[in-house]
Amino acid sequence: MSFTAVPQARLRLNRSTLAVPGSRAEFFEKAARSVADVVFIDLEDSVAPDEKDKARKNAVAALNEIDWGRKTVAVRINGLDTPYMYRDLVDVVEQGGGRLDMIMMPKVGTAADVYAVDMLVTQIEQAKGWTRCIGLELIIESALGLANIESVAAASKRTEVLHLGVADLAASLRARTTGMGGANPGYTVLTDKRADGRRDTHWADPWHYALARLVVAARANGLRPIDGPFGDFTDADGYRAAASRAAALGCDGKWAIHPSQIEMANAEFTPPKADVDQARRILDAMAKAQKEGKGAVSLDGKMIDAASIRQAEAVVKKSELIEAGGASASGMRHAG
Ligand code: GLV
Ligand code: MG
């Protein structure tokens, strides 16, 4: 390990992040009773301009009146370049901050964006005399945000999550797609000609670079990397494949923009029992090896060593967090 320790953000179960438009208060109770690990009430892109005030009031009422149980509850405020953002932040935190776990910031471009929100939230918390610390989750969804991702990720001790917002990112990059996540028929690789002259077309993942970049920046700063929306909620297989890719790369979870996607996210981001069993076998084998003074041994014909312990511990820890049912105060890197 480096001599530089990476303090970890507060530990929370974050397999599914359910988006609920703030203007649709009739959906809130259902969201609270859903099996989503995290729910965010959206004041931004799913809310029309003339409904912004109503959505903000709905969010405050929902924070105060709905029983969210042990769920993590967040509110997505409007962007820092809009006339809605300051009131979103002040009203939601001042009036609903008692139950608010995290503020989701869209279209973060620079570390200064995060600094500004941190400063305002800090002032409100101090004025209220609160000792608990509201977290920040940042959506990386612009060329600027992706280019500055390292400094953005390190900008505030409140930050817990980096999300990849594929829809806005595609728009910002001028990528040729109108879909929200998923594959793109224009992004393929053509194999060389075979003997019979035929060639195969392989679809590639257009989001791979951005997601891998985000996972690295998040983990280097002790944050949770979360994959964003998959727009075609009629394509369950496509959603599962995208979630599985994200989990394989290291993400903790994915958005659900429709209730039908919640359970798929929970399943894809729960380590399979076979993996957890295998991780426990690796830990047992390495414990035995260490007693015998060995640094590396073979298990089922494969070499394992101290790095295998760390991999196995990550799998077991994740599974234990899921069994424990979610949020925990441990791993907090900021005091209240
Ligand atoms: C999410 O906000 C996105 O733009 O994908
Ligand atoms: Mg967006």
Side-chain angles (χ1 to χ4, degrees), residues 19 50 52 58 90 144 146 157:
D50 58 1
K52 294 287 186 192
N58 288 346
V90 171
L144 185 65
L146 196 55
K157 286 194 168 54

Side-chain angles (χ1 to χ4, degrees), residues 76 139 141 165-168 229 255:
R76 177 164 77 170
I139 314 183
E141 50 183 348
V166 279
D168 272 304
W255 286 23

Side-chain angles (χ1 to χ4, degrees), residues 67-120:
D67 178 4
W68 296 96
R70 297 186 62 197
K71 223 176 256 327
T72 294
V73 187
V75 171
R76 177 164 77 170
I77 59 174
N78 284 281
L80 272 71
D81 58 334
T82 69
Y84 315 113
M85 175 265 167
Y86 80 99
R87 189 139 296 290
D88 289 348
L89 196 62
V90 171
D91 285 7
V92 168
V93 178
E94 276 193 349
Q95 297 168 35
R99 182 57 185 87
L100 183 67
D101 294 301
M102 294 189 290
I103 293 156
M104 184 184 271
M105 288 178 62
K107 300 178 182 63
V108 175
T110 66
D113 291 345
V114 184
Y115 184 91
V117 169
D118 186 350
M119 185 264 295
L120 209 49

Side-chain angles (χ1 to χ4, degrees), residues 140-318:
I140 303 300
E141 50 183 348
S142 64
L144 185 65
L146 196 55
N148 289 328
I149 194 163
E150 307 298 340
S151 56
V152 163
S156 164
K157 286 194 168 54
R158 288 181 188 277
T159 306
E160 297 186 24
V161 181
L162 296 184
H163 297 269
L164 186 68
V166 279
D168 272 304
L169 181 63
S172 170
L173 297 176
R174 316 277 194 276
R176 208 163 54 193
T177 175
T178 50
M180 192 184 278
N184 181 337
Y187 196 75
T188 57
V189 178
L190 207 54
T191 62
D192 286 348
K193 282 186 185 154
R194 291 198 297 248
D196 61 6
R198 284 193 298 171
R199 306 178 78 175
D200 295 324
T201 301
H202 292 294
W203 291 53
D205 177 8
W207 311 109
H208 175 78
Y209 165 74
L211 194 58
R213 181 103 179 70
L214 181 136
V215 172
V216 173
R219 294 297 183 201
N221 287 279
L223 312 178
R224 299 188 293 280
I226 302 292
D227 191 22
F230 185 93
D232 183 356
F233 56 82
T234 63
D235 180 7
D237 289 341
Y239 181 91
R240 276 194 214 96
S244 166
R245 281 196 303 276
L249 273 185
C251 286
D252 274 4
K254 180 165 176 62
W255 286 23
I257 50 124
H258 187 269
S260 65
Q261 296 177 334
I262 302 171
E263 290 196 19
M264 291 191 284
N266 287 352
E268 291 298 333
F269 290 94
T270 298
K273 184 174 177 318
D275 290 8
V276 180
D277 290 347
Q278 180 63 5
R280 292 209 163 101
R281 286 186 69 224
I282 290 172
L283 293 177
D284 289 347
M286 283 306 296
K288 191 162 166 268
Q290 279 171 349
K291 262 195 206 141
E292 293 165 2
K294 294 180 191 152
V297 283
S298 92
L299 179 69
D300 305 331
K302 290 180 195 140
M303 194 53 78
I304 55 171
D305 65 8
S308 315
I309 300 181
R310 292 187 282 276
Q311 285 179 292
E313 278 174 350
V315 172
V316 170
K317 250 196 221 157
K318 178 86 172 266

Side-chain angles (χ1 to χ4, degrees), residues 129-147:
W130 293 335
T131 51
R132 67 190 283 272
C133 177
I134 294 169
L136 295 180
E137 36 186 349
L138 316 177
I139 314 183
I140 303 300
E141 50 183 348
S142 64
L144 185 65
L146 196 55

